[in-house]
Amino acid sequence: MTLSQRLATALREGVPIALATVIEGPGVGRHLLIDPHGDPEGSLGHPDLDRVVHRDGIAELEAGRSGVRTYGPEGQTTPEDLIDTPQVKVFVESWAPPPQMWIFGAVDFTAALARVAKVLGYRVIVCDAREIFATGRRFPMADEVRVSWPSPLFAERGGELGPRDAVCILTHDPKFDVPAVQGALATRAGYIGVMGSRTTHARRVERLAEAGITNVADLNRLMSPIGLDLGARTPEETAISICAEIIAARTGRGARSLRDGSGPIHP
Amino acid sequence: MRELLDDLERWQRSSTRVAIARVVDVEGSGPRGPGAAMAVSIDGEVVGSVSGGCVEGAVVTEALALLNGDREPGLVTFGYSDDEAFAVGLTCGGTIRLFIEEFNW
């Protein structure tokens, strides 16, 4: 199997993989394939350079980042070591698995949110304990539909969630949303949104306190009422307002209209 | 690159030479980030895109030059920077750098 065939296989299977390419300096056009679960393949021209780029490539992959890095021909990275030596510019392109969105509650808003999340490239899991509502037929756009209480799903797979992932809790049912919030707070998920009016949220905070969740830092992670203030009414508009809030949370922007600002458009 | 796989493999099967161009760096406003890619076969067939359509024509020229031996694999800059001011720019005013190479690995 050639290097590109191995890359193609990984991309089709959706498993993490990175490709390092020398784009400037000695060895332009050389490649190193970085596989977190297998041996590297190819070479950038020196074993020490390969070793250092491999290490950096694994880190880039975990962060879901791609970009150009500068090394010496033998993998030097500190500025003093790069004086008086040709520089090797390496483009590390990483393909991380898609971020996940877990949606709790099989309601109308769920279908709309799942659709918009798919457009943004999320792997979507819909979870509801009620068998008649949590069906693949009602949510054909979801990658997985789970008939389950929140706690077992979090116990089994909560460890998968990281800063790029989102948990959206759309049930208004305290039986369901308290354990869902509890489960979500125990993960590293970057976004936790909980649907409900301000009154619902105030009551929920009381019930969370009864369940032992009183830590202010924990409660501050909850985006509730969920979504940006767009005046959204329909499930589809609400889905856009939730997804827009997720993007703004990631980029740290205030989500006003671009016309009303003056800085660079891209973060 | 994922979206180019089917075409790249089709070209490989028919032994058609092909160049790929990948965005490696964006400064300022640019429509597509690092990793956006396009491929150009020696017959002039094009798949993928690297911007909002501003520089694709110029990339095809560079890709064909590479396949015809008129240039080496390497970086191409589009937009406005101090040292390299290309005729083709991005309408959004940003600068993108692409790496062009033959897909034969």
Side-chain angles (χ1 to χ4, degrees):
Chain A
M1 207 191 294
T2 65
L3 193 147
S4 68
Q5 284 167 337
R6 207 171 133 193
L7 174 65
T9 306
L11 293 182
R12 288 216 167 89
E13 288 174 0
V15 297
I17 194 92
L19 177 69
T21 308
V22 177
I23 59 168
E24 206 178 331
V28 165
R30 285 177 169 272
H31 299 99
L32 178 73
L33 189 74
I34 299 162
D35 178 349
H37 304 297
D39 294 330
E41 189 168 333
S43 173
L44 304 180
H46 191 281
D48 289 334
L49 178 63
D50 291 344
R51 189 175 44 74
V52 174
V53 172
H54 184 268
R55 180 199 66 196
D56 292 347
I58 296 282
E60 292 291 281
L61 198 48
E62 275 175 13
R65 255 194 327 246
S66 295
V68 178
R69 306 177 73 90
T70 303
Y71 302 91
E74 294 173 14
Q76 302 91 320
T77 52
T78 51
E80 333 44 299
D81 291 341
L82 289 173
I83 299 167
D84 293 332
T85 169
Q87 296 194 352
V88 186
K89 298 232 186 249
V90 178
F91 176 50
V92 178
E93 185 170 6
S94 74
W95 290 271
Q100 298 194 50
M101 183 187 289
W102 291 11
I103 309 173
F104 291 92
V107 296
D108 279 355
F109 289 94
T110 308
L113 179 56
R115 269 201 301 279
V116 177
K118 287 308 294 178
V119 170
L120 295 180
Y122 283 89
R123 178 178 168 76
V124 175
I125 302 181
V126 172
C127 177
D128 194 305
R130 300 165 301 176
E131 218 169 314
I132 51 164
F133 293 117
T135 64
R137 211 160 53 79
R138 291 188 71 215
F139 303 102
M141 70 301 279
D143 297 283
E144 259 181 81
V145 178
R146 289 277 297 244
V147 181
S148 166
W149 286 87
S151 312
L153 181 60
F154 280 109
E156 184 193 328
R157 292 175 50 185
E160 292 173 17
L161 298 180
R164 300 161 63 230
D165 302 311
V167 176
C168 299
I169 299 162
L170 307 187
T171 49
H172 294 75
D173 183 346
K175 285 203 303 295
F176 206 78
D177 67 11
V178 169
V181 168
Q182 217 164 2
L185 286 175
T187 70
R188 295 165 54 238
Y191 176 90
I192 305 171
V194 199
M195 190 173 258
S197 65
R198 294 186 197 282
T199 316
T200 307
H201 180 64
R203 284 203 213 101
R204 186 184 295 120
V205 170
E206 288 168 22
R207 290 196 314 273
L208 288 169
E210 287 162 21
I213 300 167
T214 51
N215 185 315
V216 177
D218 277 346
L219 292 170
N220 282 344
R221 283 179 72 193
L222 303 180
M223 300 306 286
S224 181
I226 195 170
L228 288 186
D229 185 11
L230 304 181
R233 297 295 305 202
T234 64
E236 289 73 18
E237 289 175 354
T238 306
I240 297 285
S241 104
I242 295 170
C243 287
E245 180 171 72
I246 293 173
I247 296 168
R250 190 194 69 219
T251 58
R253 294 296 186 102
R256 58 187 173 172
S257 291
L258 286 169
R259 192 194 62 174
D260 300 332
S262 59
I265 292 178
H266 298 286
Chain B
M1 190 124 89
R2 190 184 280 126
E3 67 283 4
L4 306 181
L5 292 177
D6 290 346
D7 291 295
L8 291 175
E9 285 172 4
R10 175 169 57 83
W11 283 320
Q12 258 177 346
R13 277 195 303 275
S14 62
S15 303
T16 304
R17 290 178 59 212
V18 50
I20 56 173
R22 288 182 283 158
V23 175
V24 300
D25 205 9
V26 181
E27 273 171 52
S29 214
R32 306 277 314 266
M38 61 186 273
V40 181
S41 79
I42 195 154
D43 307 321
E45 201 184 338
V46 181
V47 293
S49 79
V50 292
S51 72
C54 320
V55 304
E56 274 74 1
V59 173
V60 170
T61 307
E62 295 294 325
L64 291 175
L66 174 78
L67 293 174
N68 290 317
D70 297 331
R71 66 156 290 154
E72 295 294 310
L75 291 168
V76 189
T77 304
F78 294 108
Y80 302 98
S81 60
D82 293 339
D83 45 344
E84 305 157 275
F86 260 69
V88 179
L90 295 171
T91 51
C92 45
T95 301
I96 60 171
R97 292 204 301 158
L98 296 118
F99 182 70
I100 298 190
E101 65 187 318
E102 183 164 358
F103 182 69
N104 56 3
W105 33 277

